[in-house]
């Protein structure tokens, strides 16, 4: 039941001791409650083991005496049968969570003595000495002096302790850095020690709460952000996911140097360095519809220092809908929406006129609005039903007055339009999928309104059938064409060029100077009392986001719409990327036409050939319309060849190591290549640059496949890995790849392939072993050992038949093998004169590229070659075939690509 939210703001929890709380000692009604005595910087808290009993909080400033009576005292109540006792006499106590119910704190006034009997009697002296120190601090008149004394006590405790190296995950870990810091959660911070090793980031709380150590594996880190905390550049937030709103840990350091060094150490382990995550890097993605309005706003909030762990800088989202009275929400009418070109305070002209008049008459520093659009109070106003303890912490154990609670969406919107001091925007929860913040599911007693009605669930507009429907319609509104066309105007006000200066004045967007980054230099304030008072004022008032843009934000280009799944589960409509290839009229991909093509595959004729690489070609991928051909080579380059202009349009080198394969993702916006340098590279066709890189393996990556948002990679490190990338579209955005499965092999894996249903994967190793895996369970179904006549041979290729029932493999053993997937049995074997390096097949006929450079057509059932087609001057190393099976492209060791056409 205990949490740090039971502490006052800016209070620390130091230590805890198992103890008994004795009431009415030596009286008939003596009672004893077992529990935990917690020593905090401004209070003593006793948490009984019995949940029915309330937690007792004794403010140190209300203490009259704190002592451990000496044994020789005649009237010592501890001498008879109590050892390890502490007597606390106070003028008032707070009772919290009585009967384990979250409710306003109950205050019991009047002089009373509380006796605490510690299990370890020898600690009494130290505990009493600590309490006397903290009591003296609480009695100081000025807040600055109190803070300074408590800080000195805290730093002394931190200096006497260090990170426990026994908490390392591995005995082989190497320590890189250790320093003091505080873990930040909403409204509270927890001091302790930060440790960075060569594999993990650790935080060990001084008090061991909520657990002895927090550990984050560095290789799992996807994003890190330097943060402002308390107006100082001391914060660091670490995310192990790409799109989540909440981070894995938020740390506040005592020096900027410590923060920057920890940042540097962690950044080394991030595949996509945070320096690449700039506001500008997301603009074009958003404009072209690769990320949704919701995702874009999340990115901007993150980059502007907004964090769920800091309620004074909580992510801010706009009011979108202005109609809360209609029975049907019409998203085609502009009047349904709020004017996004104005701040909330300027939406009501009559109110604005009064504010502007006051502003013009005001002395410097001038501001239009006496309150902010985002503050801890506003955040908890919306979230009180799911975070009541945060509200009680912020408001000294009380809920707000019932009539001032979040009672109705329509009422809240009306007050934001008409209220003299209410200019608040919304929070991300209004556009997500969890509607619990709108429902009083905890059955909290939030008070009775003036009309006698109890505060229960939030009253929804008529057009919403329930909380989930309200959120669904809010999401649809956020992603609507109107908002997409006007969201840049709101971004200008909150994150952009209208945030400060003359443009802010013209846009009626001027808040108190203290709310802006750089509005006050705390280091220049020498008076500790003034500094504490100023910091408290700023943190409670709210802060303006960091300015991200200093010029007008570009508008989103709305073209024809398509459905795209957001990070969360619902679908949204967003603009289709203008770089997508034009749809072409393909012939029907009927079974008959494909069968006809395969029946005539021997009639393949060489159309054109081009030498485009300096080494052997390893992979070929072609865009949907067939106009662009991408190739990889052992010369370490990815090349884009235009079939129409017959020229190389792009040549890209990711490293000096060979590239081993390439694929184009659906939509033709991204090419993925695998490399011998252990990496997988993602290249944006639209933007002409590397957009992502995945250090997926410990040795060369030999082959990659992509199906339905899953990436499959094979490597010489003896593994095949299955990665998941959230969302249906990959183009032009950074991704966190979640490792779903790792398929272990004994030796290097050379090739992989998937069946049509994406349920079964086949892998082939350098020793010729073929394994068949169930992808869902990551278990091996079958394994075929290499031919017993050969000790070692390379497996070049393996492909499922279109019916997914059979698998064909070819290797250096000069043998085609057909394997029954269900049983793992070799049902057919055809010997070849030389190794076949690549092939395509339909279940009956094989088109293969040989070691000598020929294309061979095989009758599988007859076990013979039916046609030899002269091709490359060296081995055919790569082959691509279109869906109609009437066009083929091959690549060879002779550094050429050859275009083949089927001529009936």
């Amino acid at each position: 039941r205990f949490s740090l939210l039971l502490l006052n703001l800016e209070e620390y929890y130091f230590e805890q001791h198992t103890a008994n709380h004795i009431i009415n000692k030596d009286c008939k009604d003596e009672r004893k409650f077992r529990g935990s005595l917690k020593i905090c910087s401004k209070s003593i808290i006793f948490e009984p083991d019995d949940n029915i009993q309330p937690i007792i909080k004794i403010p140190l400033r209300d203490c009259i005496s704190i002592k451990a009576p000496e044994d020789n005292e005649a009237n010592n109540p501890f001498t008879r049968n109590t050892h390890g006792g502490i007597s606390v006499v106070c003028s008032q106590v707070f009772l919290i969570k009585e009967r384990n119910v979250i409710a306003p704190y109950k205050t019991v006034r009047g002089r009373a003595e509380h006796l605490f009997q510690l299990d370890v009697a020898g600690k009494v002296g130290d505990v009493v000495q600590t309490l006397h120190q903290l009591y003296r601090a609480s009695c100081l008149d000025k807040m600055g002096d109190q803070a300074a004394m408590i800080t000195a006590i805290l730093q002394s405790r931190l200096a006497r302790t260090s990170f426990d190296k026994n908490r390392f995950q591995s005995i082989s870990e190497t320590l890189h850095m250790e320093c003091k810091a505080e873990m930040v959660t909403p409204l509270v911070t927890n001091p302790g020690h930060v440790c960075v090793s060569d594999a993990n980031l650790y935080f060990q709380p001084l008090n061991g709460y909520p657990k002895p150590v927090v550990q984050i594996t560095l290789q799992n880190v996807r994003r890190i952000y330097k943060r402002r905390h308390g107006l100082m550049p001391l914060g660091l937030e670490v995310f192990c996911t790409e799109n989540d709103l909440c981070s894995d840990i938020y740390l506040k350091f005592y020096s900027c140097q410590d923060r920057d060094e920890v940042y540097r150490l962690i950044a080394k382990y991030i595949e996509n360095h945070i320096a690449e995550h700039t506001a500008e890097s997301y603009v074009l993605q958003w404009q072209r519809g690769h990320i949704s309005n919701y995702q874009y706003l999340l990115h901007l909030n993150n980059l502007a220092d907004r964090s769920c762990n800091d309620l004074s800088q909580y992510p801010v989202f706009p009011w979108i809908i202005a109609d809360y009275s209609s029975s049907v929400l019409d998203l085609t009418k502009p009047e349904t929406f709020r004017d996004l070109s104005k701040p909330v305070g300027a939406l009501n002209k009559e109110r604005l006129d009064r504010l502007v008049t006051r502003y013009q008459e005001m002395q410097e520093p001038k501001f239009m609005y006496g309150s902010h659009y985002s503050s801890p109070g506003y955040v908890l106003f919306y979230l009180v039903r799911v975070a009541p303890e945060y509200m009680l912490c912020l408001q000294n154990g009380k809920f707000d007055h019932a009539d001032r609670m979040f009672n109705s969406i329509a009422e809240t919107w009306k007050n934001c339009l008409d209220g003299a001091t209410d200019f608040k925007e919304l929070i991300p929860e209004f556009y997500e999928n969890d509607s619990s913040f709108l429902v009083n599911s905890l059955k909290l007693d939030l008070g009775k309104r003036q009309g006698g009605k109890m505060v229960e669930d939030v009253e929804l507009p008529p057009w919403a059938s329930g909380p989930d429907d309200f959120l669904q319609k809010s999401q649809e509104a956020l992603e609507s064409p109107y908002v997409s066309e006007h969201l840049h105007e709101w971004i200008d006000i909150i994150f952009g060029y209208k945030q400060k200066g003359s443009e802010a004045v013209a846009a009626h967007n001027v808040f108190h100077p203290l709310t802006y980054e750089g509005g006050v230099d705390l280091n220049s304030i020498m008076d500790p009392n003034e500094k504490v008072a100023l910091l408290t004022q700023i943190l409670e008032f709210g802060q303006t986001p960091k300015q991200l843009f200093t010029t007008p934000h570009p508008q989103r280009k709305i073209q024809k719409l398509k459905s795209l799944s957001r990070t969360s589960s619902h679908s949204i409509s967003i603009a289709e990327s203008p770089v997508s290839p034009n749809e072409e009229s393909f012939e029907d991909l009927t079974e008959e036409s494909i069968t006809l093509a395969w029946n005539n595959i021997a009639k393949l004729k060489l159309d054109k050939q081009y030498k485009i690489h300096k080494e052997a070609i390893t992979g070929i991928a072609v865009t949907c319309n067939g106009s662009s051909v991408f190739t990889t080579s052992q010369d370490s380059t990815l090349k884009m060849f235009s079939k129409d202009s017959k020229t190389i349009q792009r040549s890209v080198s990711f490293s000096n190591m060979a590239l081993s394969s390439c694929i184009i993702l659906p939509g033709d916006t991204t090419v993925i290549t695998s490399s011998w340098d252990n990496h997988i590279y993602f290249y944006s066709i639209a933007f002409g640059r590397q957009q992502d890189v995945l250090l997926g393996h410990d040795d060369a990556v030999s082959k990659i496949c992509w199906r339905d948002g899953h990436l499959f990679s094979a490597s010489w490190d003896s593994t095949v890995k299955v990665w998941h990338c959230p969302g249906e579209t990959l183009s032009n955005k950074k991704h966190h790849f979640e490792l779903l499965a790792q398929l272990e092999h004994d030796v290097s894996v050379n090739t992989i392939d998937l069946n049509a249903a994406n349920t079964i994967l086949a892998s082939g190793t350098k020793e010729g072993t073929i394994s068949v895996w169930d992808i869902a369970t990551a278990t091996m179904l079958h394994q075929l050992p290499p031919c017993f006549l050969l000790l070692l041979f390379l497996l070049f290729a393996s492909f499922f038949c279109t019916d997914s029932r059979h698998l064909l493999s070819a290797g250096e053993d000069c043998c085609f093998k057909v394997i029954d997937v269900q049983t793992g049995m070799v049902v057919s074997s055809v010997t070849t004169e030389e190794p076949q390096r690549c092939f395509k097949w339909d279940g009956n006929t094989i088109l293969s590229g040989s070691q000598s450079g020929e294309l061979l057509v095989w009758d599988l059932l007859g076990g013979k070659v039916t046609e030899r087609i002269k091709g490359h001057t060296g081995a055919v190393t790569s082959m691509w075939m279109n869906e109609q099976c009437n066009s083929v492209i091959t690549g060879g060791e002779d550094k050429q690509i050859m275009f083949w056409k089927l001529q009936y």
Side-chain angles (χ1 to χ4, degrees):
R1 292 189 299 161
F2 172 79
S3 83
L4 297 179
L5 294 170
L6 300 184
L7 278 59
N8 296 347
L9 295 176
E10 304 299 318
E11 183 176 7
Y12 295 110
Y13 165 36
F14 284 143
E15 60 190 54
Q16 68 95 23
H17 303 274
T18 305
N20 290 316
H21 179 210
I22 303 172
I23 300 175
N24 300 325
K25 175 66 180 169
D26 292 334
C27 297
K28 290 183 179 180
D29 58 346
E30 175 182 321
R31 290 182 292 167
K32 182 186 292 188
F33 299 103
R34 187 154 183 78
S36 174
L37 183 68
K38 303 178 190 300
I39 310 304
C40 307
S41 59
K42 298 180 182 179
S43 61
I44 303 169
I45 295 176
F46 181 78
E47 179 189 19
D49 292 343
D50 183 358
N51 286 350
I52 300 299
Q53 298 301 318
I55 294 173
I56 297 171
K57 180 178 179 179
I58 306 173
L60 287 170
R61 67 174 183 273
D62 294 326
C63 289
I64 298 170
S65 70
I66 302 170
K67 61 182 179 178
E70 298 295 329
D71 287 345
N72 58 7
E73 289 183 7
N75 60 349
N76 179 10
F78 298 101
T79 54
R80 297 173 195 141
N81 55 13
T82 305
H83 300 284
I86 299 174
S87 167
V88 178
V89 179
C90 60
S91 58
Q92 73 170 356
V93 299
F94 297 107
L95 305 182
I96 305 170
K97 289 188 180 179
E98 190 168 7
R99 299 189 178 278
N100 209 26
V101 175
I102 300 173
Y105 302 170
K106 182 180 178 181
T107 306
V108 179
R109 294 183 174 86
R111 182 185 175 104
E113 182 180 22
H114 296 266
L115 304 177
F116 300 102
Q117 179 187 3
L118 272 59
D119 279 10
V120 182
K123 291 186 177 181
V124 169
D126 291 338
V127 172
V128 171
Q129 184 179 0
T130 298
L131 288 174
H132 284 167
Q133 277 186 311
L134 295 171
Y135 171 72
R136 287 195 297 272
S138 69
C139 292
L140 295 173
D141 292 334
K142 297 181 177 179
M143 294 297 296
D145 295 337
Q146 287 186 27
M149 186 170 177
I150 291 172
T151 298
I153 296 170
L154 170 63
Q155 292 300 323
S156 174
R157 283 174 164 260
L158 287 170
R160 295 196 304 269
T161 58
S162 62
F163 182 83
D164 181 4
K165 308 301 187 298
N166 292 322
R167 295 289 179 181
F168 275 179
Q169 292 290 300
S170 168
I171 58 174
S172 62
E173 278 187 70
T174 303
L175 173 67
H176 285 332
M177 180 187 179
E178 180 181 346
C179 64
K180 298 175 287 186
E182 296 176 13
M183 187 169 75
V184 179
T185 52
L187 298 182
V188 292
T189 61
N190 202 13
H193 296 275
V194 167
C195 182
V196 184
S197 74
D198 57 347
N200 295 287
L201 166 68
Y202 298 96
F203 176 76
Q204 186 173 29
L206 186 64
N207 50 34
Y209 179 88
K211 54 185 180 179
V213 68
V214 178
Q215 177 254 330
I216 291 176
T217 303
L218 293 179
Q219 287 188 342
N220 292 339
V221 175
R222 289 295 170 266
R223 295 178 289 147
I224 50 174
Y225 296 93
K226 293 180 180 179
R227 297 292 193 208
R228 270 186 307 159
H229 187 272
L231 300 186
M232 301 289 284
L234 300 173
L236 184 69
E237 194 161 20
V238 180
F239 292 78
C240 291
T241 57
E242 192 63 44
N243 293 307
D244 279 5
L245 181 63
C246 297
S247 64
D248 291 81
I249 193 168
Y250 187 137
L251 296 169
K252 170 200 167 187
F253 295 83
Y254 296 115
S255 77
C256 187
Q257 292 77 14
D258 285 346
R259 191 274 305 269
D260 291 346
E261 179 61 15
V262 172
Y263 177 94
R264 186 188 68 80
L265 290 169
I266 297 175
K268 293 195 305 182
Y269 291 85
I270 301 182
E271 295 160 8
N272 310 309
H273 194 281
I274 196 63
E276 297 179 11
H277 287 286
T278 62
E280 290 75 15
S281 71
Y282 292 114
V283 173
L284 196 56
Q285 296 180 47
W286 171 73
Q287 270 192 295
R288 295 189 171 184
H290 297 305
I291 57 177
S292 66
N293 292 337
Y294 169 86
Q295 289 170 323
Y296 188 47
L297 290 176
L298 272 190
H299 287 310
L300 295 184
N301 272 284
N302 244 326
L303 293 166
D305 276 345
R306 313 302 285 187
S307 168
C308 290
N309 285 308
D310 186 351
L311 295 188
S312 67
Q313 298 188 91
Y314 201 80
V316 56
F317 270 60
W319 283 96
I320 293 295
I321 299 168
D323 178 5
Y324 295 100
S325 58
S326 300
S327 58
V328 177
L329 185 66
D330 188 350
L331 297 180
T332 64
K333 293 164 52 180
E335 53 266 33
T336 299
F337 299 93
R338 164 255 183 107
D339 185 347
L340 288 165
S341 68
K342 298 176 181 178
V344 169
L347 293 175
N348 180 330
K349 186 178 186 304
E350 183 180 336
R351 178 179 66 177
L352 178 63
D353 289 342
R354 294 196 301 269
L355 292 169
V356 170
T357 300
R358 188 189 70 172
Y359 172 78
Q360 292 170 343
E361 296 171 351
M362 191 179 291
Q363 299 280 328
E364 292 291 347
K366 302 168 72 170
F367 53 90
M368 291 185 186
Y369 308 114
S371 63
H372 206 257
Y373 51 78
S374 176
S375 70
Y378 288 159
V379 173
L380 296 177
F381 168 84
Y382 291 125
L383 298 180
V384 63
R385 288 168 177 79
V386 290
E389 291 182 87
Y390 291 87
M391 175 71 85
L392 293 173
C393 176
L394 185 69
Q395 301 200 150
N396 299 314
K398 300 174 184 176
F399 289 131
D400 205 350
H401 189 279
D403 286 302
R404 290 196 296 268
M405 295 289 260
F406 182 30
N407 292 304
S408 158
I409 303 288
E411 278 184 22
T412 302
W413 169 244
K414 184 177 185 303
N415 203 54
C416 288
L417 287 181
D418 303 335
T421 59
D422 193 349
F423 314 108
K424 59 179 171 285
E425 291 279 9
L426 296 182
I427 55 177
E429 283 78 358
F430 279 82
Y431 303 102
E432 294 177 350
N433 295 321
D434 185 356
S435 61
S436 58
F437 75 100
L438 300 170
V439 182
N440 187 15
S441 57
L442 296 176
K443 303 302 179 184
L444 300 168
D445 182 358
L446 298 174
K448 186 181 293 186
R449 304 187 67 182
Q450 284 185 350
K453 186 178 179 181
M454 296 297 294
V455 176
E456 292 293 345
D457 298 347
V458 176
E459 184 180 328
L460 302 174
W463 46 257
S465 61
D468 290 341
D469 185 56
F470 172 77
L471 292 191
Q472 177 66 36
K473 287 184 169 66
S474 297
Q475 292 162 2
E476 291 170 0
L478 178 62
E479 305 300 340
S480 66
Y482 178 89
V483 174
S484 292
E485 291 173 3
H486 293 277
L487 188 58
H488 66 287
E489 298 172 333
W490 186 82
I491 293 171
D492 283 336
I493 292 168
I494 304 299
F495 303 105
Y497 81 110
K498 292 183 179 180
Q499 188 196 87
K500 298 178 182 178
S502 59
E503 293 288 353
V505 176
H508 306 117
N509 191 39
V510 183
F511 295 86
H512 195 286
L514 292 180
T515 68
Y516 294 93
E517 183 179 27
V520 61
D521 181 8
L522 287 180
N523 290 326
S524 66
I525 301 175
M526 294 296 104
D527 184 347
N529 299 299
E530 182 185 350
K531 182 181 290 188
V532 168
L534 195 61
L535 185 57
T536 302
Q537 177 187 350
I538 293 167
L539 295 181
E540 292 181 0
F541 189 86
Q543 295 177 62
T544 301
K546 180 190 294 183
Q547 188 174 25
L548 300 178
F549 307 100
T550 55
T551 56
H553 193 284
Q555 187 179 14
R556 193 176 199 184
K557 304 298 182 185
I558 301 300
Q559 301 187 3
K560 65 177 183 176
L561 298 177
K562 64 180 180 180
S563 180
L564 177 72
S565 177
R566 202 210 278 175
T567 314
S568 43
S569 59
H570 61 274
S571 293
I572 58 174
S573 292
I574 74 170
E576 184 176 13
S577 169
V579 298
S580 297
N582 296 324
E583 294 181 357
E584 294 190 2
S585 177
F586 291 120
E587 67 184 79
D588 290 338
L589 302 181
T590 62
E591 190 173 329
E592 290 77 14
S593 65
I594 292 175
T595 301
L596 179 64
W598 273 104
N599 288 342
N600 291 275
I601 201 73
K603 297 178 181 178
L604 271 181
K605 301 296 180 185
L606 180 62
D607 185 25
K608 297 178 180 66
Q609 62 188 84
Y610 306 94
K611 185 176 181 180
I612 63 173
H613 281 281
K614 296 179 181 178
E615 296 292 344
I617 291 166
T618 56
I620 301 172
V622 182
T623 54
C624 288
N625 60 10
S627 63
S628 297
V629 179
F630 286 85
T631 58
T632 52
S633 167
Q634 289 184 5
D635 65 9
S636 79
T637 62
L638 168 71
K639 293 187 186 292
M640 175 179 172
F641 182 84
S642 171
K643 194 174 177 183
D644 298 326
S645 65
K646 304 178 179 59
T647 58
I648 298 173
Q649 292 189 326
R650 297 182 194 173
S651 180
V652 185
S653 182
F654 302 108
S655 73
N656 59 1
M657 299 285 282
L659 299 179
S660 55
S661 65
C662 64
I663 51 178
I664 298 179
L665 295 192
D668 287 355
T669 57
T670 302
V671 179
I672 310 180
T673 67
S674 55
S675 173
W676 285 7
D677 68 358
N678 313 352
H679 290 74
I680 298 168
Y681 295 94
F682 297 78
Y683 176 79
S684 169
I685 301 173
F687 296 89
R689 59 175 170 80
Q690 176 185 318
Q691 72 186 44
D692 222 334
V693 60
L694 172 64
L695 177 55
H697 290 274
D698 298 322
D699 204 340
V701 185
S702 52
K703 184 73 184 291
I704 50 174
C705 298
W706 177 276
R707 297 285 175 84
D708 297 336
H710 292 80
L711 176 69
F712 303 80
S713 58
S715 170
W716 295 354
D717 67 4
S718 308
T719 66
V720 173
K721 294 184 179 181
V722 185
W723 310 85
H724 175 251
C725 176
E728 295 176 1
T729 302
L730 185 73
S731 55
N732 304 313
K733 82 177 203 182
K734 298 288 183 183
H735 281 80
H736 160 52
F737 285 93
E738 178 188 0
L739 181 61
L740 299 180
Q742 180 167 307
L743 312 181
E744 298 288 348
H745 298 69
D746 294 327
V747 293
S748 300
V749 184
N750 280 5
T751 187
I752 52 173
D753 193 36
L754 295 161
N755 68 344
N758 305 329
T759 57
I760 298 175
L761 178 142
S763 60
T765 69
K766 73 172 186 177
E767 291 183 348
T769 300
I770 299 170
S771 302
V772 181
W773 303 80
D774 183 324
I775 295 174
T777 60
T779 56
M780 185 185 297
L781 299 177
H782 312 292
Q783 187 174 74
L784 285 82
C787 176
F788 68 94
L789 295 175
L790 293 171
L791 294 176
L792 178 70
F793 69 94
L794 295 173
L795 188 73
F796 289 123
S798 61
F799 287 97
F800 285 94
C801 184
T802 52
D803 63 7
S804 295
R805 291 180 56 189
H806 296 106
L807 178 71
L808 179 67
S809 69
E812 221 172 40
D813 63 343
C814 301
C815 190
F816 280 121
K817 294 177 181 176
V818 182
I819 301 151
D820 181 86
V821 173
Q822 289 183 328
T823 63
M825 181 184 296
V826 177
V827 294
S828 179
S829 181
V830 177
T831 303
T832 63
E833 297 174 353
E834 59 179 343
Q836 304 300 303
R837 298 288 297 272
C838 51
F839 63 81
K840 300 291 180 182
W841 75 310
D842 72 338
N844 301 306
T845 306
I846 304 171
L847 174 68
S848 67
S850 70
Q851 183 77 30
S852 62
E854 288 181 314
L855 297 189
L856 303 179
V857 180
W858 298 78
D859 175 6
L860 188 58
L861 295 178
K864 61 182 180 180
V865 175
T866 59
E867 188 68 34
R868 293 178 180 270
I869 306 170
K870 188 175 181 181
H872 295 265
T873 56
V876 185
T877 53
S878 188
M879 182 181 292
W880 172 88
M881 179 181 280
N882 67 349
E883 289 185 76
Q884 295 85 352
C885 305
N886 59 14
S887 177
V888 174
I889 304 174
T890 58
E893 285 184 345
D894 59 2
K895 309 154 193 174
Q896 294 190 96
I897 55 171
M898 293 185 173
F899 292 82
W900 306 82
K901 281 190 175 178
L902 194 57
Q903 297 181 354
Y904 297 99

